[in-house]
Amino acid sequence: MRKILAVLCVLAVIVVGWYGAAISLNAKWTHDQAKRAGTEVQFSELVADTLSQERPVLPAPHQVAVELWKTTIQKKVTSKRSLVFHGWITLSATLMGFLIGTTAGILLAVGIVHNRAMDMSVMPWAIASQTIPILAIAPMIIVVLNSIGVQGLLPKAFISAYLSFFPVVVGMVKGLRAPDMMQLDLMKTYSARSWDVFWKLRLPSSMPYFFASIKVAIAAALVGAIVAELPAGAIRGLGARMLTGSYYGQTIQIWSALFMAAFVAACLVGLVGMMQRWTLRKMGMTQ
Amino acid sequence: MTEAQLNDLAEPVIAARNLDLTFHTNDGPVHALKDVTLDINKGEFVSFIGPSGCGKTTFLRAMAGLESPTGGKISVNCMTPDEARQKRAYGYVFQAAGLYPWRTIAGNIKLPLEIMGFDKSEQEKRVRNVMELVDLKGFGKKFPWQLSGGMQQRASIARALAFDADILLMDEPFGALDEIVRDHLNEQLLKLWARTNKTIGFVTHSIPEAVYLSTKIVVMSPRPGRITDVIESTLPKVRPLDIRDTPEFLEIAHRVRDGLRAGHAYD
Amino acid sequence: MSVLFFAIVIWGLATLGAVRIANGPQQQMFWAKLAVPALLGVVIVVLWEGIVRGFGVSPVILPPPSAIAVTFVSSIPVLWGDFVQTFVKGALSGYVIGCGSAFVIAILIDRSPFLQDGLMPVGNFLAAMPIIGTAPILVMWFGFDWQSKSAVVVLMVFFPMLVNTVQGLAESSVMQRDLMKTYSASYWQTLLKLRLPAAMPFIFNGLKISTTLALIGAIVAEFFGSPIRGMGFRISTEVGALNLDMVWAEITVAALAGSAFYGCVAVIEKGVTFWHPSQRG
């Protein structure tokens, strides 16, 4: 209970600070308008005006909330203005990429754990690749794939897949190697085949690492899908909404798209968390 | 005998009167200590022995000011344990050596000296002396992981001795070590005690260890934690390891075992 | 076609060599650990060159490594300018400000479990959020130049660093803190002598993650607006002009910068946390 109170407290402080910042950042425009009209602005008028501008420097929380409401609940889901529509576009690319990347990652991890040559050659690159800003070349990959006719969902899914791939590889390799020597020796005394050792020992032991890495992977896949929408020409998806908002100075649009993206991210990570708790509880591995 | 020495004899260093300590857990209250009354005088070596849950560690921690009693009184050096703690009246040795892996052995022994504000040259001198006391001379620059378990525990004891507190509280310090190392360290601890004349409170699970080391053995039993027997040892102060085969030793050990049985330790 | 054939031969030889080293008696040696992945790298580059030249893949889709190398060497002044703009001014400044402030705030909230309980869930949420989406907003506030990129980087590294530092500060065991109590040590003494050194492995984990995030943030933020300099700017404009070899040259710079930055932090980590089991091998 105290924890919820603490979170609410912090959120309340953030909202109050946000309102204050909105007033001060939007004030300049209000003063400029007043100067042009030759009028003076009272403080209460200033507050009212700064919190309801059409193109504010910083939208007030209620403005963002209203826009979110208008573009999600009040719009038809199939409308091109609906954030649910855009959210789904981004989400579908995310999920597809995530599934491909995770599956490929697990397969590669299994290969690395069972084959020395693969281990010694691929693992250093897998670790090194995490230090390389792959995300930065996402737009290039999109453009290249578009030019050879691969458009729409697939290029975005490809980027998401790539971004989720390496965290899963690194995490699963650690996880599949998690059983200690004593356990592996016991399997040897049973003359167990690698197949049995994998399914009965390695895979169950890797579950905590699995969930930790797919949490990272799904967040990365979402970011990948959003950034993949940035190259000019993308008009659908949350990233595209943010981009067009920035081109036309529609700050409220940018912020509402951003909140939608944050909401989607929170839901995805939350879902993975729920799956994690359920699975680990069934396996008696809760911490 | 001087007046000061007479005074020393008069006041116990640690005095507990009807001490109660109850923990409130999710599963209900746990009476870790109930109605514990005990005096520990200056220069005594007191062992606390009993099964798990008998309150021996809790009692030691209460003496150290790490737990607060819920009833009764306890005083250390005629102050509350907390005040004694702030005056740095005792050194504490835990079951695990708990050395900082990022400090050398010498650095680890210096830790309390740095905190208590001894100056640099004084720190060096004390570290040297105390390392010699525990037979770790020359290992100052090593790191904890380079030393065996027994040596790490010796370093932990050295750390507790470095700042010259009159009281030494030890919570199963040799529990994690094998018997051969344990015998060796028991001997060394007795020699150390003879040289420094500290008042020592020692928690242990081992009957031979308790009988070998102490001048007074406190047998405790659980549910609720209480004292079953207090045995004043009749063994001489200077004890070679062979004393463990003498009939006198066996008699005291027998008495300890009887105390444990009376407290249902073997049920 | 002969290039492709040559490439396949090299692929075969290198794989054979790698497998032999990996399964042979030298597998534990230091040089073997470098040679095997290096062989894989060589194979990839050689196959790349072979496939692109052999199948006549258009340079607009995928330029061969040789062309990239040539463009790289001839564009060093431009590449260097971009590097300074994006990495030194944008990423590095944001990294220092972001990680520094996260560290300070972690220590400030250390004494208040209430603040920690409130901030950590919010922090975890914000760390998972696609912060990169704040880039257009920050460009609007701080302008086109490196300051907005720095701001994006600050936001991106702050929460992962905060979460890691707070976790690290919680690492010291109850027994260790009890020991400090027996010395009657003050809060600051306990913090400086016990909890901060014990937190170092987590703090460096946060610092390492942040190096990657910083570079990504700086480059991607430039997609939202930038003066006529910078790695992100160069990538997006050259992509538009279909000069893909220049794009790959920039990617090479980014890859080198990213790994070097990470490597530096890892070396410092090895020095500071030499005592941790993971560093002792």
Side-chain angles (χ1 to χ4, degrees):
Chain A
M1 257 324 110
R2 247 187 86 245
K3 282 204 174 178
I4 300 184
L5 184 64
V7 176
L8 287 176
C9 242
V10 170
L11 287 176
V13 167
I14 291 178
V15 170
V16 166
W18 186 345
Y19 270 109
I23 296 177
S24 67
L25 282 173
N26 296 336
K28 184 168 176 301
W29 196 82
T30 312
H31 283 303
D32 284 348
Q33 294 297 94
K35 216 182 291 180
R36 224 175 278 167
T39 55
E40 276 282 312
V41 178
Q42 298 284 11
F43 185 70
S44 53
E45 289 172 344
L46 179 72
V47 171
D49 187 68
T50 52
L51 296 182
S52 53
Q53 292 174 0
E54 258 193 44
R55 293 203 194 173
V57 175
L58 177 63
H62 65 265
Q63 288 182 299
V64 178
V66 162
E67 172 79 9
L68 270 172
W69 182 262
K70 277 198 326 211
T71 49
T72 50
I73 315 283
Q74 286 190 338
K75 277 259 183 319
K76 274 204 323 207
V77 175
T78 48
S79 152
K80 287 246 166 59
R81 293 267 182 88
S82 163
L83 269 184
V84 176
F85 171 71
H86 288 290
W88 173 246
I89 301 275
T90 309
L91 185 63
S92 46
T94 305
L95 288 176
M96 184 155 141
F98 169 73
L99 284 168
I100 298 175
T102 308
T103 317
I106 296 178
L107 288 173
L108 186 65
V110 173
I112 288 178
V113 168
H114 289 102
N115 182 313
R116 260 211 95 78
M118 266 188 92
D119 175 18
M120 284 181 78
S121 55
V122 175
M123 269 311 272
W125 288 104
I127 297 175
S129 77
Q130 293 191 299
T131 73
I132 300 172
I134 309 279
L135 197 56
I137 61 170
M140 178 199 79
I141 297 181
I142 299 292
V143 169
V144 164
L145 286 175
N146 282 350
S147 67
I148 56 171
V150 183
Q151 294 196 351
L153 185 64
L154 271 164
K156 290 199 281 182
F158 179 75
I159 305 240
S160 292
Y162 196 87
L163 284 172
S164 24
F165 177 72
F166 284 113
V168 171
V169 169
V170 173
M172 280 308 278
V173 167
K174 245 202 240 175
L176 290 171
R177 289 200 174 138
D180 55 42
M181 271 318 293
M182 195 181 80
Q183 294 288 9
L184 293 167
D185 279 344
L186 185 65
M187 281 297 197
K188 264 200 218 158
T189 72
Y190 297 154
S191 207
R193 303 168 296 164
S194 301
W195 176 263
D196 284 322
V197 177
F198 175 75
W199 285 103
K200 295 197 193 309
L201 177 62
R202 288 194 192 274
L203 195 59
S205 312
S206 67
M207 280 296 121
Y209 294 85
F210 171 72
F211 284 109
S213 44
I214 62 170
K215 258 192 208 162
V216 173
I218 201 156
L222 179 65
V223 176
I226 292 178
V227 172
E229 290 165 1
L230 294 182
I235 47 169
R236 308 192 316 168
L238 293 173
R241 281 290 282 185
M242 286 189 232
L243 194 68
T244 51
S246 79
Y247 283 165
Y248 298 117
Q250 299 283 14
T251 44
I252 307 184
Q253 183 180 326
I254 300 177
W255 279 83
S256 52
L258 187 62
F259 266 83
M260 190 64 179
F263 175 72
V264 171
C267 287
L268 288 173
V269 174
L271 263 168
V272 173
M274 266 175 29
M275 272 187 352
Q276 175 178 9
R277 273 191 296 276
W278 185 84
T279 312
L280 291 185
R281 202 180 313 142
K282 284 239 146 197
M283 294 173 71
M285 283 171 95
T286 46
Q287 292 190 310
Chain B
M1 223 182 260
T2 68
E3 175 122 19
Q5 285 175 315
L6 272 172
N7 278 338
D8 273 349
L9 278 183
E11 281 299 320
V13 167
I14 301 175
R17 296 275 177 278
N18 307 108
L19 193 64
D20 275 336
L21 219 156
T22 308
F23 291 117
H24 293 281
T25 65
N26 285 336
D27 301 318
V30 173
H31 297 284
L33 290 174
K34 195 152 178 217
D35 212 18
V36 168
T37 298
L38 184 72
D39 277 345
I40 298 179
N41 296 310
K42 187 162 164 60
E44 285 194 311
F45 194 129
V46 181
S47 288
F48 298 88
I49 187 165
S52 331
C54 68
K56 50 193 197 295
T57 298
T58 311
F59 193 19
L60 204 76
R61 287 172 64 90
M63 288 185 228
L66 293 173
E67 305 283 358
S68 309
T70 49
K73 279 182 58 204
I74 180 167
S75 71
V76 176
N77 283 348
C78 305
M79 305 176 247
T80 66
D82 218 35
E83 283 165 359
R85 180 178 66 83
Q86 285 166 22
K87 287 209 156 52
R88 281 101 182 222
Y90 61 88
Y92 204 99
V93 180
F94 288 92
Q95 191 166 356
L99 301 169
Y100 291 177
W102 54 85
R103 285 184 176 229
T104 57
I105 298 295
N108 267 290
I109 299 175
K110 274 196 206 142
L111 178 68
L113 302 175
E114 289 171 11
I115 293 175
M116 297 176 188
F118 288 84
D119 65 59
K120 280 273 163 61
S121 56
E122 183 69 21
Q123 286 181 22
E124 297 290 339
K125 201 175 75 163
R126 283 171 180 264
V127 167
R128 259 195 318 254
N129 288 344
V130 97
M131 270 179 27
E132 226 187 290
L133 262 181
V134 301
D135 208 20
L136 272 182
K137 194 160 159 197
F139 285 94
K141 292 210 163 74
K142 297 263 186 218
F143 285 98
W145 71 79
Q146 295 172 302
L147 267 51
S148 69
M151 293 169 88
Q152 285 185 33
Q153 198 56 296
R154 275 193 268 158
S156 171
I157 296 175
R159 184 176 59 181
L161 293 172
F163 48 96
D164 264 348
D166 281 332
I167 304 172
L168 194 58
L169 298 173
M170 307 174 83
D171 189 359
E172 294 190 63
F174 307 139
L177 306 171
D178 67 68
E179 191 156 347
I180 300 169
V181 174
R182 218 175 172 164
D183 276 351
H184 182 59
L185 289 177
N186 278 351
E187 258 192 317
Q188 281 199 314
L189 184 58
L190 272 190
K191 286 200 190 119
L192 214 137
W193 174 56
R195 271 173 78 170
T196 56
N197 209 33
K198 295 201 189 297
T199 312
I200 303 187
F202 190 93
V203 169
T204 180
H205 264 139
S206 158
I207 300 176
E209 192 173 59
V211 178
Y212 177 65
L213 292 173
S214 355
T215 58
K216 186 175 353 211
I217 305 162
V218 177
V219 183
M220 298 179 76
S221 60
R223 290 182 301 279
R226 64 197 183 281
I227 298 181
T228 320
D229 195 4
V230 177
I231 304 168
E232 296 281 349
S233 176
T234 50
L235 298 172
K237 197 154 175 195
V238 175
R239 310 169 184 181
L241 275 176
D242 292 341
I243 208 172
R244 295 183 300 181
D245 303 322
T246 63
E248 226 185 321
F249 188 97
L250 293 173
E251 211 191 298
I252 302 176
H254 191 81
R255 210 177 134 189
V256 172
R257 216 165 277 123
D258 281 342
L260 289 171
R261 234 185 277 272
H264 304 289
Y266 293 101
D267 290 346
Chain C
M1 263 312 161
S2 55
V3 180
L4 181 61
F5 176 74
F6 185 61
I8 295 181
V9 167
I10 299 225
W11 177 18
L13 286 173
T15 311
L16 269 172
V19 170
R20 274 198 63 190
I21 300 178
N23 293 325
Q26 324 92 317
Q27 57 184 231
Q28 294 296 336
M29 312 231 74
F30 183 65
W31 66 263
K33 295 200 174 143
L34 283 178
V36 178
L39 278 173
L40 180 64
V42 163
V43 162
I44 291 180
V45 169
V46 163
L47 271 179
W48 179 352
E49 181 86 25
I51 291 178
V52 166
R53 286 214 193 274
F55 288 114
V57 177
S58 159
V60 156
I61 298 191
L62 190 64
S66 45
I68 297 173
V70 165
T71 312
F72 188 98
V73 171
S74 61
S75 325
I76 288 193
V78 173
L79 292 172
W80 177 256
D82 292 339
F83 171 78
V84 168
Q85 172 77 5
T86 310
F87 182 78
V88 178
K89 287 195 200 167
L92 210 53
S93 62
Y95 180 84
V96 169
I97 297 175
C99 290
S101 49
F103 181 79
V104 168
I105 295 200
I107 298 206
L108 285 177
I109 67 173
D110 183 53
R111 301 194 87 160
S112 164
F114 183 76
L115 272 183
Q116 280 188 36
D117 284 345
L119 267 173
M120 289 310 279
V122 175
N124 271 308
F125 172 76
L126 290 171
M129 191 174 97
I131 302 263
I132 202 71
T134 60
I137 302 169
L138 292 167
V139 167
M140 236 175 48
W141 287 352
F142 290 95
F144 273 143
D145 210 346
W146 63 268
Q147 290 92 343
S148 50
K149 321 299 177 286
S150 187
V152 171
V153 170
V154 167
L155 279 185
M156 277 184 84
V157 307
F158 182 80
F159 291 106
M161 187 64 191
L162 181 71
V163 166
N164 267 288
T165 308
V166 169
Q167 214 178 328
L169 285 172
E171 267 300 288
S172 45
S173 65
V174 177
M175 188 192 90
Q176 288 291 14
R177 278 177 274 159
D178 274 348
L179 185 66
M180 279 304 201
K181 261 199 232 170
T182 72
Y183 300 152
S184 194
S186 72
Y187 168 79
W188 288 104
Q189 281 175 323
T190 310
L191 182 69
L192 288 172
K193 290 188 192 294
L194 168 65
R195 303 174 64 216
L196 272 179
M200 281 301 151
F202 279 83
I203 292 178
F204 272 95
N205 189 41
L207 285 174
K208 282 192 297 192
I209 294 174
S210 300
T211 61
T212 320
L213 292 175
L215 198 50
I216 293 178
I219 295 179
V220 176
E222 288 180 357
F223 294 158
F224 286 99
S226 172
I228 51 164
R229 272 189 307 278
M231 295 199 262
F233 167 79
R234 192 76 49 202
I235 290 177
S236 52
T237 43
E238 297 293 342
V239 162
L242 293 179
N243 290 336
L244 288 194
D245 41 1
M246 185 61 180
V247 174
W248 279 97
E250 280 287 354
I251 293 172
T252 314
V253 174
L256 288 171
S259 357
F261 192 18
Y262 184 94
C264 276
V265 176
V267 165
I268 301 178
E269 178 191 29
K270 210 166 166 72
V272 172
T273 62
F274 64 91
W275 46 268
H276 196 257
S278 65
Q279 300 289 349
R280 283 189 268 136

